[in-house]
Every structure is written in structure tokens, then in C-alpha cells.
Amino acid sequence: MTPTAPAGVRRARQQPPWPDGDELAQVEAELAARPGLVTEGEYTALRDALARASRGEALVLQAGDCAERFADAAPAAVDRRAEYLYSLADAMSTASGLPVVPLGRMAGQYAKPRSAESETRADGVRLPVYRGDAVNGPEAEPPARSCDPRRLLAAYDHAAAVLDRVRATWPGRPAGKRLYVSHEGLLCAYESPLERRGADGVHASSAHSVWIGDRTRALDGWHVEWAAGLGNPVGVKLGPSVTPAEAVRLSHVLNPAGVEGKLLFIVRLGAGPARRLLPGLVAEVARRGAPVVWLCDPLHGNTWRLRSGRKTRPVEAVRDEVSVFARIVRAHRQWPAGLHLETTPEDVTECVSAPDHTPVPALRVAFPRYTSACDPRLNPGQAADVLARFAESL
């Protein structure tokens, strides 16, 4: 059995092929009975901080791992990531002269959408694709790749542990400069049971903010219908296939009351397409849409697969898209409010330098420290370089 969405609602894309039986229903019931992970007051404070960013009074840095691992919920690992995100936000604030809201990709980034259902090992064995620790394991063996509903309970437990460490960093920090947590709201079987009702209506208790991916932002899909009913700040990734009319419609569906700080548009177009597509998007949303917080994800649209099969991202293209984003958004009298980055405090070698006119797939690059469970991340030096470019562009 492969549930796509709760009974009576729209089709949900990118759902795992959960096994037959009652186990998934039992897991959902247990999640529904557990305490919410975040409170109404916490996500409201974040929404207020994002409203200041929407008015040009602050910036947003949404950053963290591509795919969190359960092992990263260990206290020392969480503390290191939190310290890293605070340091990036501080550097961004110093360079721009504005306060920065740090929003981590953490405490729930345990599921990933995938472009294929399976992959083939070097020995020819075909395996289900890895979908994140909330679904299956990354080990290239058949048992690890089976979808296990009880991993959803482990995702909750690990997210709770991460949140405990994040909240420990809050004392002494103003609400607008605290580290908040976010993840892609992908799995129906995790997000629906963790909905809670408060004075502000229904909210996702799984994170302070959730986003809808470019693969799941269909206006007739479950994810948009679900996110439209939440009080939390909600993001949506906009890739090259989005049209200005779709973006306007998404803004009204996801932010019907026109609340500042409620909706983040995270554009992930690629350096080249951004020059062609972003002006029309920004102009039409500014003219006919609901209020949005404009963020740039300069990584996903600049991902290349090398002939070796490994994925990478050229830092030059990442910097270029950041500059293009800031210039175009400001040209339409809107505020380029910040960045959405996949980055790690580890000194990894996953993104590369690609000299001008060098076809990226043809690069022969060594990756001595490639540890990502999914996509390539910026290391600290590369992230600092990208932040500096963004600050200069403002």
C-alpha cells in the first residue's frame, strides 16, 4: 500500500512506497498523541521577525544540511551546527549593517524528494532510492532501502532532541535573532499527525517554519492545500518551470490574508535562467500578488552531475545567481530579504570552483571529503564567500 494523502484530500506527490499493513496507521496515531514539537508563541515570534525582513528592516539566513542524519542529533553535533549558523548570521549582519534572522534547516530535515524511484549499484544491483532517514537508510543494501514507517517516530524523537539544544541557545538573545528551525514539509504521514490547534488556528507543530519543494508546489496538490491552512510561516521553492501567473496564485492561496512574514518565496532558478525568468516573476507578484519574503536558493539551480556520476555545484555560478537575484529584486522595488543555503561547518569538498568557460561535467576534480547524504554543500569558506557577495549586492 502506498498512501498518497489522507482520505478525501488531494494527491500528494513524492510520497514513499510504504509497505502494506496497519503499521503506518499505528505510527500516525502515535504521532498524533505526542506533544507538539514547537509552540504557537515560538512560530509567531519568527513570523514577526520575518515581517521585519519583508519590510527591508532585516535579513534572513535559512541554512543547514541538505539531509539531516539521525546521528547528527547528538548534543555536540547540534551545538556545533547552531554555533556555525549563528556565526554566519553575525557575519551577514556585520557586512550588511542589518539584523539577521537565522533559520536552520534542522530538527526535521529527515526526508528528501527524489527525481528517480531507484538507482543502480556499480555491480548492477538495482535499489530503491534513499529518501532520508525518516524513510529508509542510505546504505546501498536492499534491507536498508526498505521504507520503514517506524522511522517517522525516530524522526520525531531526534527532532525533539535537536530542538532542546537549539532552545538552550536562546537565553539572552532577542526573539528576532534566535535560531529557529525549519524543514521541507514533505511526508503526509509525519506532518498531518503533528498538526495542532491553538488560538491562532491550525499550525504545524513539527517546525517553526516549513517549506514546499519545487516538485510538490502544484496548486492542485496536497502540499499546497495543507500549507494554506497553517498559521506558521510557510516557504515555497520556485524553480524554472514556475510561471508569473502561478507564482501570483500561490501567493494568494498560501497567504490569503496578506500577512507580512507569512510567506517566503525561495527562488531556485540557476544563474542563467534567473536573468530571464526572475524579472517577470518579481514584477507580477509585486503587482498582483500577496506579500512575500524574497529569498534566493542559489544552489539547487546550479547542480551538475559529473561524468563520474557525482553531483557538484560551481561556486562561481552560486555567487553569480546571488548577485543577479539581489539586483533584479531591487530593480522592481522589492527587498531581497536573504539566502537559503545548504552548508555545513565541516571542511567538506563537495562544491567546486569551475573556471570560466569550463563545462562543469568535464571537470576532473578530487573530492577527498564528500560526506553529504544527498546533495553537495558549501563548506565554511565557500559559504562566507557567498554571504559576502550577497552583502555587496545590497
Side-chain angles (χ1 to χ4, degrees):
M1 179 176 69
T2 308
T4 57
V9 300
R10 301 175 180 183
R11 174 175 175 254
R13 294 163 173 82
Q14 289 285 335
Q15 299 307 290
W18 299 113
D20 292 339
D22 298 328
E23 191 171 23
L24 182 63
Q26 293 170 357
V27 166
E28 290 178 298
E30 184 168 343
L31 286 172
R34 292 186 176 189
L37 288 167
V38 305
T39 70
E40 192 171 34
E42 290 172 354
Y43 81 71
T44 301
L46 170 61
R47 193 174 63 200
D48 292 343
L50 295 175
R52 290 192 288 276
S54 74
R55 297 191 295 266
E57 301 167 4
L59 294 171
V60 180
L61 177 62
Q62 189 170 21
D65 268 309
C66 166
E68 274 186 291
R69 301 300 312 280
F70 287 164
D72 294 334
V78 177
D79 292 349
R80 187 175 186 198
R81 282 185 290 155
E83 181 181 358
Y84 175 58
L85 295 180
Y86 278 126
S87 70
L88 290 179
D90 288 344
M92 192 175 183
S93 180
T94 299
S96 66
L98 291 168
V100 174
V101 184
L103 182 54
R105 290 174 53 109
M106 60 195 304
Q109 186 58 12
Y110 298 125
K112 296 291 293 182
R114 303 310 303 263
S115 57
E117 295 288 326
S118 61
E119 62 186 10
T120 304
R121 293 191 319 199
D123 60 2
V125 174
R126 199 161 185 81
L127 296 170
V129 73
Y130 171 61
R131 293 177 177 270
D133 278 13
V135 179
N136 57 6
E139 298 80 11
E141 299 295 335
R145 295 297 177 87
S146 296
C147 298
D148 180 0
R150 297 203 66 80
R151 281 179 168 266
L152 297 172
L153 300 176
Y156 175 99
D157 292 337
H158 287 89
V162 173
L163 265 164
D164 284 346
R165 303 298 299 184
V166 168
R167 288 190 182 101
T169 70
W170 288 1
R173 297 180 183 272
K177 295 183 180 181
R178 292 172 180 168
L179 174 61
Y180 295 93
V181 303
S182 64
H183 65 259
E184 180 173 356
L186 181 64
L187 301 177
C188 302
Y190 185 74
E191 302 297 344
S192 286
L194 289 176
E195 287 182 7
R196 298 292 181 268
R197 181 172 292 277
D200 196 34
V202 175
H203 65 274
S205 77
S206 61
H208 298 121
S209 176
V210 290
W211 75 84
I212 304 167
D214 190 50
R215 293 186 178 99
T216 53
R217 60 170 169 76
L219 282 159
D220 63 348
W222 177 86
H223 292 86
V224 169
E225 181 181 57
W226 163 70
L230 302 177
N232 312 61
V234 171
V236 58
K237 293 283 191 85
L238 301 179
S241 66
V242 72
T243 67
E246 287 173 331
V248 168
R249 180 64 178 147
L250 280 166
S251 76
H252 286 295
V253 169
L254 293 171
N255 191 13
V259 176
E260 287 187 334
K262 172 68 171 64
L263 178 60
L264 300 89
F265 270 2
I266 308 165
V267 293
R268 42 146 296 176
L269 301 173
R275 289 178 167 83
R276 302 191 311 272
L277 302 175
L278 190 56
L281 285 175
V282 178
E284 194 69 356
V285 172
R287 186 171 72 90
R288 298 196 301 119
V292 302
V293 181
W294 290 99
L295 299 185
C296 176
D297 170 358
L299 291 168
H300 281 89
N302 295 301
T303 304
W304 290 81
R305 189 175 293 276
L306 302 178
R307 289 172 182 168
S308 65
R310 177 152 279 170
K311 288 192 288 186
T312 192
R313 290 157 170 164
V315 178
E316 290 80 2
V318 172
R319 289 201 304 259
D320 188 24
E321 184 167 358
V322 164
S323 298
V324 169
F325 165 79
R327 174 175 56 80
I328 290 174
V329 173
R330 294 201 67 172
H332 290 84
R333 299 185 178 183
Q334 302 298 297
W335 178 241
L339 300 176
H340 181 114
L341 304 177
E342 291 183 346
T343 182
T344 174
E346 307 297 331
D347 187 23
V348 297
T349 49
E350 297 173 357
C351 297
V352 299
S353 178
D356 290 344
H357 309 301
T358 301
V360 176
L363 286 175
R364 296 184 179 276
V365 183
F367 295 95
R369 296 178 300 281
Y370 197 112
T371 61
S372 174
C374 194
D375 289 338
R377 303 159 296 175
L378 299 170
N379 62 35
Q382 293 166 337
D385 188 25
V386 172
L387 292 181
R389 173 62 65 91
F390 178 69
E392 291 168 7
S393 302
L394 294 179

